[in-house]
């Protein structure tokens, strides 16, 4: 019978925010206000992928893409409930990586932490390039690489100032996204039901859900393919649990974010996609050519729909960049605190900013941007594909961590279970099974690059796992050597004492 790990480990406990007057290297500070956390939680589920990637899903599954979004949305709600349970009981900047470290072992925390960091530094390059393309279209005098550099430098500076600076920028970025998508749903909904005055909405109506080949024009199997296409647009839902560690009331922030995720996904994802597929037939050429949201706005006769959407997408890109840099740096900070990364990553400035972790993350982001411009079809494509399945790996680790952490928390601090996973452990096991199924289904997907993404992601995960086991083995040998040295020292001391007594 093996003993269960405890909630805290000596030297590897949760990182607690320091006060505003604490000296350097004291740790993170509670610089995020409740309004920051609320908007980070709301905006975290609205990624740029929702605006620019949904057209492929609609073309693949037709109106049935709603079922794909509903299934993935349900999975995200369940996974975030599990994460909320663990994070409310033990708020930490390492979030699921720190929980996996305690529940499953150091190998799990090390591996998933570095994979998650890798995912976000690649995302930095993807989003910087996407934002630069939009900005170059507006101001072509500055080359695209120049815009990518400007965007990265500005947001790096923002994160280096203080966590409050990050929170303030994200508050406004997320606010614009929320207002924009809310307005889209209201205006589009009125058009769907024929009560929008002055709108050219002859094609709009609920009939678009069943006409043009039916609700599932490409068969029920297209729902599974749709899942593969939309699942990665949900990455970012967990950011609120990482940021909670630097808030005024971490437990309250995590609880609020966890309890509100159902309506956030329901409104922003299902609500907006429902409006899109009702405004236009799913097989409309404009959806494929212009993008789903631009095509939907154009169908209402709204002037400059493309530029309006470009502005919204740019805001989403900047938000994703801002949060991606914050998330990567905090994960690096947590890994440094636990001894899984260079100790320099765990050092903070007087403002509680992990400067070294931020700089290291953005340097790798710059390198990835360089690869995107220099080797887009080889090195950068490898980076993107090899990080593509990390979201599913993270969710799977959260499931298994929660299965063990529930027992640990109940045994040691049951009063900390202020958020509880529904129907534990059955829904947790069901969620894990669904994730494994999706991972397996990716291996059969050759049409949308799912197989390549899965194989490369597994290869990178295997390398990281191997490094973690080697690190553990080396650490174990050092520990044994130190123990032997201590024992030898104790023996020599005892012998010296005996000799002294004899003399």
């Amino acid at each position: 019978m093996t003993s269960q790990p405890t909630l805290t480990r000596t030297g590897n406990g949760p990182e607690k925010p320091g006060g505003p007057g604490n000296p350097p290297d004291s740790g993170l500070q509670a610089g995020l206000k409740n309004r920051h956390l609320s908007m980070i939680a709301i905006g975290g589920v609205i990624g740029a992928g929702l605006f620019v990637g949904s057209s492929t899903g609609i073309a693949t599954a037709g109106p049935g893409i709603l079922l794909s979004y509903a299934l993935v949305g349900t999975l995200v709600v369940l996974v975030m409930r599990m994460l909320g349970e663990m994070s409310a009981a033990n708020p930490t900047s390492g979030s699921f990586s720190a929980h996996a470290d305690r529940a499953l072992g150091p190998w799990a925390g090390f591996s998933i932490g570095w994979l998650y960091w890798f995912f976000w530094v690649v995302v930095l390059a993807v989003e910087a390039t996407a934002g630069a393309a939009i900005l170059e279209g507006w101001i072509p005098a500055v080359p695209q690489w120049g815009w990518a550099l400007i965007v990265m430098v500005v947001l790096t500076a923002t994160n280096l100032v203080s966590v409050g600076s990050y929170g303030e920028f994200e508050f406004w970025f997320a606010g614009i996204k929320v207002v924009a998508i809310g307005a889209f749903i209201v205006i589009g909904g009125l058009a769907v039901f024929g009560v929008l005055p002055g709108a050219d909405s002859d094609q709009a109506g609920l009939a678009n859900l069943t006409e043009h080949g039916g609700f599932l024009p490409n068969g029920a199997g297209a729902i599974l393919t749709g899942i593969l296409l939309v699942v990665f647009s949900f990455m970012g839902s967990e950011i609120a649990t990482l940021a909670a560690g630097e808030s005024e009331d971490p437990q309250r922030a995590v609880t609020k974010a966890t309890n509100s995720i159902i309506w956030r996904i329901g409104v922003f994802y299902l609500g907006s996609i429902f409006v899109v597929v009702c405004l236009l037939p799913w097989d409309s050429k404009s959806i494929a050519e212009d993008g789903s949201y631009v095509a939907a706005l154009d169908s209402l006769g709204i002037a400059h729909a493309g530029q309006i959407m470009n502005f919204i997408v740019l805001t989403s890109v900047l938000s994703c960049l801002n949060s991606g840099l914050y998330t990567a740096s905090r994960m690096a900070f947590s890994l440094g605190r636990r001894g899984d990364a260079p100790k320099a990553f765990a050092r903070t400035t007087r403002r509680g900013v992990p400067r070294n972790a931020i700089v290291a993350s953005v340097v790798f982001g710059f390198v990835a941007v360089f690869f995107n411009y220099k080797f887009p079809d080889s090195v950068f494509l490898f980076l993107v594909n090899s990080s593509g399945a990390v979201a599913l790996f993270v969710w799977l680790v959260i499931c298994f961590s929660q299965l063990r952490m529930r027992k640990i928390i109940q045994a040691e601090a049951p009063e900390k279970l202020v958020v509880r996973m529904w129907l534990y452990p059955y829904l947790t096991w069901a969620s894990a099974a669904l994730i494994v199924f999706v991972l397996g289904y990716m291996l059969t997907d050759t049409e949308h690059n799912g197989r390549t993404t899965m194989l490369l992601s597994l290869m990178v995960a295997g390398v990281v796992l191997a490094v973690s086991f080697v690190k553990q083995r080396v650490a174990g040998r050092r520990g044994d050597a130190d123990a032997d040295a201590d024992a030898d020292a104790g023996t020599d001391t005892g012998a010296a004492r005996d000799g002294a007594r004899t003399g």
Side-chain angles (χ1 to χ4, degrees):
M1 180 176 178
T2 58
S3 60
Q4 292 183 335
T6 58
L7 278 173
T8 57
R9 295 195 323 231
T10 304
N12 290 332
E15 306 86 350
K16 296 181 180 180
N22 284 358
D25 299 342
S26 62
L28 303 175
Q29 293 185 4
L32 292 176
K33 300 177 181 178
N34 288 331
R35 65 181 178 89
H36 293 154
L37 260 295
S38 296
M39 196 57 74
I40 288 171
I42 294 172
V45 298
I46 309 174
L50 174 63
F51 298 110
V52 299
S54 54
S55 56
T56 304
I58 293 173
T60 300
I65 195 67
L66 286 167
L67 295 180
S68 300
Y69 273 103
L71 285 170
V72 178
T74 300
L75 177 61
V76 171
V77 167
L78 295 175
V79 171
M80 290 305 108
R81 186 76 184 182
M82 300 174 213
L83 182 56
E85 177 181 293
M86 295 184 289
S87 296
N90 186 24
T92 168
S93 63
S95 189
F96 51 84
S97 174
H99 303 321
D101 188 284
R102 296 184 181 93
L104 305 177
W107 66 269
F110 177 97
S111 302
I112 207 64
W114 277 114
L115 284 173
Y116 190 71
W117 178 87
F118 172 59
F119 170 85
W120 278 111
V121 294
V122 173
V123 166
L124 290 180
V126 173
E127 300 296 341
T129 304
I134 295 174
L135 289 167
E136 186 190 28
W138 291 344
I139 308 176
V142 180
Q144 194 176 111
W145 67 265
W147 279 120
L149 180 64
I150 291 170
V151 167
M152 291 276 278
V153 168
V154 169
L155 292 180
T156 300
T158 299
N159 276 264
L160 285 172
V161 172
S162 69
V163 67
S165 177
Y166 154 74
E168 198 63 32
F169 268 74
E170 189 58 23
F171 176 82
W172 291 106
F173 285 151
I176 292 172
K177 288 192 296 183
V178 170
V179 170
I181 202 165
F184 174 82
I185 292 172
V186 171
I187 294 172
L190 292 175
V192 169
F193 293 101
V195 292
L196 183 66
D200 180 17
S201 54
D202 295 337
Q203 301 179 85
L206 295 175
N208 285 326
L209 293 174
T210 53
E211 294 179 355
H212 306 277
F215 185 71
L216 295 172
N218 296 324
I223 297 174
L224 293 176
T225 305
I227 287 175
L228 301 185
L229 296 174
V230 307
V231 67
F232 306 110
S233 65
F234 284 84
M235 195 66 166
S237 306
E238 71 291 333
I239 292 176
T241 63
L242 278 89
E246 294 176 81
S247 67
E248 298 167 343
D249 188 349
Q251 190 177 76
R252 178 177 177 273
V254 169
T255 303
K256 188 175 181 181
T258 303
N259 291 335
S260 65
I261 195 169
I262 297 176
W263 71 261
R264 286 186 278 133
I265 288 178
V267 171
F268 297 126
Y269 277 86
L270 292 178
S272 64
I273 294 297
F274 174 81
V275 168
V276 169
V277 295
C278 286
L279 285 177
L280 284 170
W282 70 272
D283 54 357
S284 172
K285 290 183 179 179
S286 60
I287 291 181
E289 293 173 356
D290 303 326
S292 52
Y293 287 82
V294 173
L297 290 176
D298 274 332
S299 73
L300 299 178
I302 296 177
H304 309 295
Q307 292 303 321
I308 293 173
M309 210 61 229
N310 276 339
F311 174 74
I312 296 171
V313 171
L314 178 62
T315 303
S316 297
V317 164
L318 294 177
S319 172
C320 191
L321 263 173
N322 194 36
S323 289
L325 183 54
Y326 170 84
T327 304
S329 64
R330 267 42 177 195
M331 186 57 72
F333 169 84
S334 180
L335 288 167
R337 284 289 291 263
R338 303 199 305 268
D340 290 336
K343 291 182 179 179
F345 286 3
R347 295 176 188 154
T348 58
T349 66
R350 289 186 179 274
R351 290 177 174 268
V353 175
R355 181 171 53 200
N356 295 332
I358 291 175
V359 172
S361 299
V362 82
V363 164
F364 278 92
F366 276 125
V367 170
V369 169
F370 169 77
F371 285 143
N372 192 12
Y373 286 105
K374 194 69 175 177
F375 311 105
D377 299 323
S378 54
V379 180
F380 187 70
L381 187 61
F382 168 80
L383 292 177
V384 172
N385 285 333
S386 61
S387 64
V390 168
L392 291 167
F393 295 162
V394 167
W395 296 348
L396 190 61
V397 168
I398 289 173
C399 290
F400 290 125
S401 297
Q402 190 266 338
L403 285 170
R404 294 209 67 193
M405 282 299 291
R406 166 65 77 89
K407 297 176 181 178
I408 297 169
I409 298 170
Q410 282 180 326
E412 299 185 358
E415 71 280 0
K416 291 186 176 182
L417 279 173
V418 294
V419 176
R420 289 175 179 265
M421 176 59 184
W422 305 299
L423 297 178
Y424 168 84
Y426 307 109
L427 276 182
T428 302
W429 280 111
S431 301
L434 179 57
I435 295 169
V436 171
F437 174 77
V438 173
L439 289 170
Y441 188 74
M442 284 183 70
L443 291 172
T444 69
D445 177 42
T446 56
E447 183 179 355
H448 298 96
N449 215 30
R451 181 181 176 85
T452 302
T453 297
M454 187 62 203
L455 290 175
L456 289 178
S457 296
L458 284 173
M459 182 190 73
V460 172
V463 171
V464 175
L465 275 171
V467 172
S468 71
F469 285 127
V470 169
K471 176 183 175 296
Q472 274 189 267
R473 192 162 187 175
V474 170
R477 287 176 178 174
R478 286 178 180 172
D480 292 341
D482 291 342
D484 290 342
D486 290 342
D488 291 341
T491 301
D492 292 342
T493 301
R497 289 173 179 169
D498 291 342
R501 290 194 186 99
T502 303

